[in-house]
Amino acid sequence: MARLVVAASGLRGSLGLLVAARARERGHEVAELTDLRDREGVLAALAGADAVVLVPRRGNAWQHAHGAVVTLTAAAAAVRATPHLVLLSSFATGHGPMHPLNRTDPALLPGRTAAEREARSGRLPYTIVRPVWFSDDPAGSHALTFTQDPRTDGMIARADLAATLVAAAEEPAARGTTFALYNEPGPPLTEWAAAFAALRRDADDADDADDAESREAGPEAGPAEGFAADPATALVSEGRPAAGRGRDTALDSGPRDQPRVGGAPGPVPRPAPTSPTGGTLA
């Protein structure tokens, strides 16, 4: 049994609640964080934590994704903890600025990219999960495929995604990886360790070239007030402007021969980048 922190909005029916429920089913002690501005609550939750699953709430990605990663990392340092950080991102991050989802809000892609980069460059072990469109299919109804193709698309059951986030927190083989996942016909995934072990490590992509387009100006949020000597207002306001850094280097250099785990051999499905019937991202 491990101590697992779920940082999410806490709304009824949200993915964060599914993650917390799955973790409890697996026998873990679970602490739920719904307000990263509550300094004492955050510090208490992270003290002795083995893993943190971050499900950023909707809205400003600079605050709720990047700022949350910075806050959790700073809080972990304050209590001398090194939990495994599992960050929920989005498949649209791999598609780049031309994907319709990234064009709905000019801050969405830069904020998510900055959150991923912050996780990779931070002091905590991490896993970054990029789900595709959500469905409400029952858990285990389909096969589950992991891919590191940056242009992937498809659908994923929320329950299967929650199971994956908890499995990533449990399995050392998931550390240092970024991957997308989707459902397809077939039996459910049961060999989690083997699935994570088949993925390419992000460190293998460390020499990929920077892209100026990913360094668009944006208010990179600092940790929530009280977690650093120079506190910003992450998760409260736009945060303090800071110079953009280089882009993240995993899953951004175009399609390659990628490991596909959990599904039948064949090309990664790439339907048009619009939500299939019933698919959502929330």
Side-chain angles (χ1 to χ4, degrees):
M1 182 181 75
R3 177 172 170 77
L4 192 148
V5 177
V6 180
S9 65
L11 297 175
R12 183 174 299 277
S14 72
L15 180 61
L17 290 182
L18 294 178
V19 173
R22 172 69 176 182
R24 291 189 176 101
E25 288 175 4
R26 297 280 299 163
H28 300 302
E29 176 188 352
V30 177
E32 297 181 36
L33 277 177
T34 59
D35 184 359
L36 296 187
R37 297 167 299 182
D38 177 6
R39 182 179 187 277
E40 296 307 317
V42 173
L43 293 175
L46 289 181
D50 298 293
V52 179
V53 178
L54 172 58
V55 181
R57 64 180 65 199
R58 293 183 183 183
N60 190 319
W62 285 107
Q63 296 172 351
H64 306 318
H66 176 258
V69 172
V70 175
T71 293
L72 291 169
T73 302
V79 295
R80 303 180 185 276
T82 54
H84 177 187
L85 174 63
V86 180
L87 170 63
L88 182 76
S89 186
S90 168
F91 78 108
T93 305
H95 284 254
M98 297 310 294
H99 192 279
L101 286 173
N102 294 329
R103 297 168 69 181
T104 61
D105 179 351
L108 190 58
L109 178 60
R112 283 174 169 166
T113 298
E116 292 191 1
R117 188 173 59 242
E118 193 71 38
R120 294 190 190 99
S121 63
R123 61 182 293 273
L124 301 179
Y126 73 89
T127 304
I128 298 170
V129 182
R130 291 176 167 180
V132 291
W133 303 98
F134 292 177
S135 78
D136 288 318
D137 290 349
S141 298
H142 313 286
L144 186 60
T145 295
F146 295 171
T147 178
Q148 290 176 302
D149 182 338
R151 305 293 188 261
T152 196
D153 209 329
M155 297 187 71
I156 180 71
R158 287 180 175 85
D160 285 344
L161 175 56
T164 300
L165 294 171
V166 173
E170 295 174 339
E171 295 290 346
R175 297 185 178 190
T177 64
T178 301
F179 63 93
L181 72 168
Y182 59 87
N183 289 132
E184 60 183 344
L189 177 63
T190 57
E191 299 297 329
W192 294 99
F196 292 124
L199 296 169
R200 191 180 66 252
R201 306 298 103 177
D202 288 349
D204 296 339
D205 295 328
D207 58 351
D208 283 359
D210 280 352
D211 186 334
E213 189 171 35
S214 293
R215 298 196 297 270
E216 296 174 358
E220 292 200 25
E225 189 169 358
F227 291 104
D230 182 24
T233 52
L235 309 180
V236 182
S237 68
E238 290 294 322
R240 294 182 178 178
R245 304 170 190 167
R247 96 178 195 181
D248 65 313
T249 57
L251 297 176
D252 284 301
S253 56
R256 312 180 189 179
D257 293 330
Q258 303 291 356
R260 299 174 67 250
V261 184
V268 175
R270 299 182 189 176
T274 56
S275 173
T277 303
T280 68
L281 286 177

